Amino acid sequence: QVQLVQSGPEAKKPGASVNISCKASEYTFTEYAIHWLRQAPGQRLEWMGWVNPGSGNARYSQTLEGRITITRDTSATTSYMQLTSLKPEDTAVYYCARLDWFGDLYPTFDSWGQGTLVTVAS
Amino acid sequence: DIQMTQSPFSLSASVGDRVTITCRASRSISNYLNWYQQKPGKAPEVLISAASSLQSGVPSRFSGSGSGTLFTLSISSLQPEDFATYFCQQSFSNPYTFGQGTKLQIK
């Protein structure tokens, strides 16, 4: 069974950076993109970016470009998301998710990590 | 970016009821629409892809329909485990965007 296991909760001060890991297992890591999303309290899910584990290429949301970096370590089957210059409004639960192509056509987040709460407060 | 709008924001129903949730896209997304269920403190789980195709293991009481800009998720006979938050997501174009969610509560 596909599993994505994320690192634990983080408490940060404004201006700091956070790094979250997402370890994948029970599938071929390089064959599926890993996306990162977040959900602030009472808000809708927001897509942040993704990495191609095979190539290492990443793309980011325009609203976060410049502050976010998504990487992967194929030997560890793990993706990492770093967010810098944290603000209180970055307080959210952060998720990694695997993107599958349902019917070879339809992008679907078919497996998710358990979520990592990041709290940004002074 | 494509905006996704769900209605209602919340819904109260009883076990055995049939409920319908609506999701509207700000422009046509063909049938590139997924539905997810999320329970408190848990990650979302996909129910339906391609607007109407049930994911493996999802009970047949769940169904989806629609294309273009208007979509619906229906649950034919609510079970206790169905009380959760449901949201839609378009996968037509990046950035993938989500509806704000519909919280289904027990009446």
Side-chain angles (χ1 to χ4, degrees):
Chain A
Q1 183 176 347
V2 172
Q3 272 204 311
L4 299 174
V5 179
Q6 297 180 220
S7 48
E10 302 268 9
K12 297 291 183 181
K13 295 190 182 303
S17 299
V18 69
N19 287 275
I20 304 172
S21 65
C22 170
K23 179 166 177 59
S25 60
E26 303 302 325
Y27 74 95
T28 302
F29 179 65
T30 52
E31 291 184 354
Y32 296 83
I34 293 288
H35 289 242
W36 287 85
L37 308 97
R38 67 180 179 178
Q39 189 171 33
Q43 302 298 310
R44 69 184 68 200
L45 276 158
E46 175 189 6
W47 177 82
M48 302 175 68
W50 69 283
V51 65
N52 178 331
S55 65
N57 291 336
R59 291 193 65 184
Y60 307 116
S61 161
Q62 285 188 336
T63 60
L64 294 172
E65 187 87 53
R67 292 204 296 139
I68 185 173
T69 305
I70 300 174
T71 58
R72 95 299 186 225
D73 179 340
T74 55
S75 63
T77 65
T78 300
S79 175
Y80 304 90
M81 191 282 297
Q82 179 186 64
L83 190 62
T84 62
S85 303
L86 288 169
K87 313 167 189 177
E89 51 266 40
D90 292 318
T91 294
V93 177
Y94 289 72
Y95 294 100
C96 61
R98 189 183 85 158
L99 188 81
D100 187 25
W101 289 82
F102 182 80
D104 293 331
L105 278 177
Y106 299 95
T108 301
F109 296 121
D110 72 332
S111 295
W112 296 64
Q114 81 277 19
T116 297
L117 176 62
V118 175
T119 305
V120 183
S122 52
Chain B
D1 298 359
I2 298 174
Q3 307 303 314
M4 306 300 292
T5 304
Q6 281 180 241
S7 61
F9 291 116
S10 65
L11 182 56
S12 294
S14 301
V15 172
D17 284 353
R18 176 183 177 87
V19 298
T20 298
I21 298 167
T22 298
C23 178
R24 191 179 300 268
S26 60
R27 62 179 175 93
S28 178
I29 57 171
S30 183
N31 63 336
Y32 285 78
L33 191 284
N34 301 318
W35 288 100
Y36 298 83
Q37 176 192 70
Q38 186 177 30
K39 296 183 177 178
K42 300 294 186 183
E45 294 185 1
V46 61
L47 299 173
I48 288 172
S49 296
S52 60
S53 295
L54 243 59
Q55 286 280 329
S56 174
V58 175
S60 59
R61 62 181 180 272
F62 290 91
S63 64
S65 67
S67 67
T69 62
L70 187 60
F71 303 87
T72 60
L73 170 70
S74 295
I75 311 172
S76 61
S77 179
L78 280 170
Q79 299 301 300
E81 61 269 27
D82 299 337
F83 292 94
T85 298
Y86 295 86
F87 51 89
C88 58
Q89 174 240 331
Q90 65 83 15
S91 59
F92 182 79
S93 67
N94 222 303
Y96 299 142
T97 47
F98 293 79
Q100 76 277 22
T102 295
K103 187 172 184 178
L104 179 54
Q105 297 175 294
I106 299 177
K107 185 183 288 183

